Each structure stands twice: as structure tokens, then as C-alpha cells.
Amino acid sequence: MIDLHAHTNASDGSDTPTELVRNAVAAGLHTLAITDHDTTGGWEQAEAAVGQLDVGFTLIRGAEFSCIHDDGGVRISLHLLGYLFDPDAEALKAERARLRESRLGRGEAIVDALVAAGYPISWQQVVDIAGGGAVGRPHIGQALLQAGVVDSVTDAFTHLLSSSSPYYVPKLEMPVQRAIELIRQAGGVPVIAHPWARKRGQILDEAALRSLVEPGLLGIEVDHIDHAAADRARLAELAAELGLLHTGSSDYHGTRKSVRLGAETTSPQALQALLSLATGIGVVRSEPAARAV
Ligand code: AMP
Ligand code: FE
Ligand code: FE
Ligand code: ZN
């Protein structure tokens, strides 16, 4: 099984990168992509964890970039997965740093608003929960959970943390066309993440999706837990029509979301096509241990 979207505590997942790799093997995956928000901070530990395995396993290093689509003043937030880009490509590296930096002030602003409304959490608590990783709303959700305000992180998103909440503060996002271009320049493969996850807010329409082919989009994450069946069918048609990769992934976040590793998967054919499009860096592979004679 192939799962191309998973988070660690380098961003808003709860597993360490080592735990993610071990959990992926235990879940029966043979290929996994690590795709933390706006950071490659988990790569090194994940690579080391693959080095310790005695089963055949392939790690694909990637990230999920916070992006904005601005169509004549209609601004839509979206996520763009980038796979196998060169982490040292300067322009993209600088953008990642900017996005991570902005998450700090923005996270603190959301916490300030919640504290002012009487919710018993603190910014220091959120910083501790994030543990040096890219800060996101799920860390604030965890603080609200610890404070007994909500029953789960997902629960926190239904009101307090949703994008329509009075406490919501937007974060810095990169124009999606630029993100696509920078990932391509770094030899990576840009794939739009969960484009029709409607419950998260406004989504791109078909015309907007099509317009991303020109700057260099290479794939659509079709199979995702937040996509309805009819939307998956239409996105699959679009991917085929536009010659884009059709991927499917869990978007695993450990205990911060209920979805399991391998809950959605990508076909071996799509994986091969993805690998053949990447020129930035290679995959990290472990081999099965040689059998004793
Ligand atoms: P942020 O990047 O800080 O804006 O937070 C967005 C993150 O929150 C996403 O990457 C998801 O991990 C998480 N998230 C968004 N919607 C929900 C939800 N309904 N339930 C749980 N987690 C969510
Ligand atoms: Fe997330
Ligand atoms: Fe996402
Ligand atoms: Zn994700």
C-alpha cells in the first residue's frame, strides 16, 4: 500500500517521524510520504528511521505548503503538496521559513483572542505542545482539549478554531501559482491536496483547478477522507483529462485526527509516474534483511 500524505510533530501530527515510519510499516504500507506543513524538519529523523528497518520500505520526502488562490479578489486558502524537491533550493527554502515564522504570530493572535474570551489556555502551553514544530490550529485544539474545553481536537474545529470563528486569524499563504513554480524549479512534483474538502471553507472551482496546469501543477489528490464520492469521481475525470497524476492519501495526523494510515491509497502506476517526474532528490529505501541460510 502506498500513502502519500502524512504529518509528524514537525508540524501538526502527533507522531515523531520515527513513530510515523514504524506505524506505517505496522499499517502494512510499503511506501509513505512525509508531508508536514511548510517544513522539511521531520525528514532527517524519518530517513534515519528507515535506515533502521529490516523490511523493504520507501520514504518519499515532501511537504504541504500553505497557499492562496486569488481570483479577482476572491481569496481561497488551499494546500499544495510538493514531493521530492531539493530542500536547498533557495527561493522555496526562504518561503518555507517565512510561512513557518508567520504561524507563530498568527497562533499567538488566535490564543490571545481565545484567552480574552475566557478560555483557560496559554500561548506558552501551545508552544510546548508544538515542541518546535510548525505551529498550527491543531496545537491550539490540543490545548483546548487539555483544558477540558472540548472533547477532541476535531471538536475544537467545529466552532472555536474554524475559519468562520470570531477567534480565527489567517496565516501567511503563498500564491499557489508561485508555489507550483518554485516546487518545479526545485525539481519537485506539485500535487494539489484535498482540493474539494468542502467543509474546510471555500474551494476552487473547476476553472480555477484547470488554470493551475499552466504554471506546472502535476497532480490532484483525488481520494481523501474529506472528499464526497461524487467529487472524487469528477476529480478523477479531471485528472485523466488534464494528464495529471491521480493520488489518494490518508492525511494522517496521529491522534489529532481519527483517520488511519493507509485509509486512502495511491496506485503503483501513479507512484511510478510521480517518481519519473521528480528530479530534485531521490527516495529513501530500506531493503528486506537478507535471510539467514
Ligand atoms: P492551520 O494550518 O493552522 O490553519 O490549521 C489547519 C490544520 O488544521 C489542517 O492542516 C488540519 O490538520 C487541521 N484541521 C483542519 N480542519 C480540521 C477539522 N475539521 N478537524 C480536525 N483538524 C482539522
Ligand atoms: Fe494539518
Ligand atoms: Fe492539508
Ligand atoms: Zn495534510
Side-chain angles (χ1 to χ4, degrees):
M1 281 200 302
I2 300 158
D3 188 341
L4 297 181
H5 186 164
H7 296 263
T8 75
N9 65 1
S11 68
D12 59 4
S14 61
D15 288 2
T16 64
T18 302
E19 288 165 347
L20 173 66
V21 167
R22 291 185 184 156
N23 286 335
V25 171
L29 298 176
H30 64 74
T31 302
L32 170 80
I34 176 173
T35 55
D36 279 303
H37 296 285
D38 305 319
T39 186
T40 58
W43 286 13
E44 202 179 316
Q45 193 187 120
E47 289 166 42
V50 172
Q52 300 295 312
L53 295 177
D54 56 8
V55 295
F57 189 80
T58 300
L59 175 72
I60 295 179
R61 292 166 289 178
E64 184 175 24
F65 293 90
S66 306
C67 296
I68 187 91
H69 183 268
D70 192 339
D71 189 0
V74 181
R75 292 166 63 83
I76 297 178
S77 295
L78 59 93
H79 289 169
L80 183 72
L81 293 158
Y83 298 108
L84 299 170
F85 56 85
D86 175 358
D88 295 322
E90 278 305 328
L92 187 59
K93 190 175 179 179
E95 285 294 342
R96 285 197 302 279
R98 244 161 55 87
L99 295 172
R100 285 198 306 275
E101 177 69 20
S102 98
R103 283 173 167 279
L104 291 172
R106 177 268 196 156
E108 191 167 7
I110 294 177
V111 170
D112 284 350
L114 287 165
V115 168
Y119 292 99
I121 60 170
S122 73
W123 175 236
Q124 186 56 50
Q125 184 190 1
V126 173
V127 168
D128 290 345
I129 290 168
V135 177
R137 281 179 285 163
H139 300 118
I140 304 172
Q142 184 87 36
L144 291 163
L145 177 65
Q146 285 175 5
V149 174
V150 293
D151 292 332
S152 68
V153 174
T154 302
D155 215 28
F157 272 89
T158 58
H159 170 54
L160 294 176
L161 296 178
S162 92
S163 54
S164 51
S165 158
Y167 312 112
Y168 183 73
V169 178
K171 59 184 183 287
L172 184 71
E173 298 167 316
M174 156 153 74
V176 63
Q177 294 85 354
R178 176 166 163 78
I180 289 169
E181 286 163 10
L182 291 184
I183 291 168
R184 292 294 298 272
Q185 278 171 26
V189 179
V191 173
I192 188 159
H194 46 74
W196 287 354
R198 297 174 187 273
K199 70 170 185 195
R200 299 191 191 203
Q202 221 185 327
I203 54 162
L204 295 189
D205 61 18
E206 267 191 43
L209 263 182
R210 286 173 189 277
S211 76
L212 299 181
V213 174
E214 215 270 322
L217 184 71
L218 292 174
I220 300 179
E221 188 177 62
V222 173
D223 298 304
H224 186 281
I225 191 164
D226 292 347
H227 284 168
D231 284 339
R232 294 183 192 215
R234 184 60 196 145
L235 287 170
E237 284 174 4
L238 268 178
E241 182 203 330
L242 299 172
L244 299 174
L245 301 167
H246 168 151
T247 69
S249 309
S250 66
D251 201 356
Y252 172 78
H253 280 69
T255 57
R256 297 217 177 93
K257 280 191 184 176
S258 56
V259 69
R260 289 170 296 106
L261 277 164
E264 306 280 352
T265 58
T266 294
S267 72
Q269 294 75 18
L271 175 65
Q272 282 316 310
L274 188 157
L275 296 181
S276 70
L277 289 165
T279 57
I281 54 171
V283 301
V284 178
R285 276 208 174 92
S286 63
E287 301 299 335
R291 238 176 258 144
V293 187

